[in-house]
Each structure stands twice: as structure tokens, then as C-alpha cells.
Amino acid sequence: MTKELIDERFDSAYIKALRKYGIMDIDEQEVSKMCNYHEFVLEKGISQGIDIGRNEERKKYMNQKVDTIRLIMNEYHKTFEDTYSFLNYDESEREQYRKLIFN
């Protein structure tokens, strides 16, 4: 983006005043860097938002499983081991759920 385009796109009186006092001396390369940085920040924010959403959904899903395990244990007087096996949940997560139930 050239200085002329910057002047047209933004309030030219403001830009000219900044340049007059040496505060703003933007060239095409600097504008390109700023645009790229803006895209980087935007993508980073979107990525973080997606991660937060996934974590929230995972917590919700885990809480539902804990509630189901507790319900079956209480209603049918079953042990954690029997309940977990009956529900056929992932064996690699067994200890994690045991800790959630009993701690």
C-alpha cells in the first residue's frame, strides 16, 4: 500500500499531521507487516477460542459420564468396577474417572 493509498483510505489530515511531526512514516513494507500481524492475532484468537470451546465440551462430557456412573452405582448398588465395565467406557480413562468419583 502506498502512502497515497493510506492517505485516501484513512483521514488524510490526521495522517499528514502525524507525518509532519515525524510520528508516522509508514511505507508499504510496514503496512504489510501490520496487516500480517493483524491476521496472526486474529487467527491466534480464533484458535484459542476453539480450544476453550473444546475444553468446555470435554468437561461437560466428562461430568455427564461421572453422573451416569454415580447414578448406576447408587441405584443398582454396584461397585465402580462393575459399573465402569458395564458401561463399556474406554479402559484408558478408568483411573481418571475413578479419581473423579472418589475424590
Side-chain angles (χ1 to χ4, degrees):
M1 186 177 290
T2 64
K3 289 181 181 184
E4 292 77 27
L5 285 174
I6 293 170
D7 286 341
E8 288 174 18
R9 194 163 181 198
F10 302 104
D11 181 3
S12 61
Y14 175 72
I15 298 294
K16 287 178 184 176
L18 291 175
R19 285 192 181 131
K20 178 181 176 182
Y21 296 103
I23 296 171
M24 186 174 177
D25 190 19
I26 295 179
D27 62 13
E28 189 172 342
Q29 188 176 20
E30 288 178 54
V31 170
S32 177
K33 284 180 190 177
M34 287 187 286
C35 290
N36 290 340
Y37 183 72
H38 164 67
E39 290 171 8
F40 167 76
V41 169
L42 180 62
E43 288 175 17
K44 183 89 169 159
I46 290 170
S47 177
Q48 287 175 345
I50 289 170
D51 288 344
I52 290 169
R54 284 182 182 150
N55 288 338
E56 291 298 318
E57 283 300 311
R58 176 146 174 79
K59 286 178 189 176
K60 183 179 174 183
Y61 178 69
M62 289 177 73
N63 287 335
Q64 289 173 345
K65 286 175 93 174
V66 166
D67 291 344
T68 301
I69 294 167
R70 283 187 175 139
L71 176 70
I72 292 173
M73 287 174 65
N74 292 331
E75 290 292 320
Y76 297 100
H77 308 288
K78 296 293 183 183
T79 66
F80 170 80
E81 297 303 326
D82 290 343
T83 303
Y84 199 87
S85 296
F86 171 75
L87 292 170
N88 201 26
Y89 287 158
D90 187 352
E91 284 299 317
S92 67
E93 297 176 337
R94 182 182 288 262
E95 289 307 311
Q96 180 181 9
Y97 282 99
R98 181 191 318 279
K99 288 177 184 175
L100 290 171
I101 295 288
F102 295 110
N103 289 334

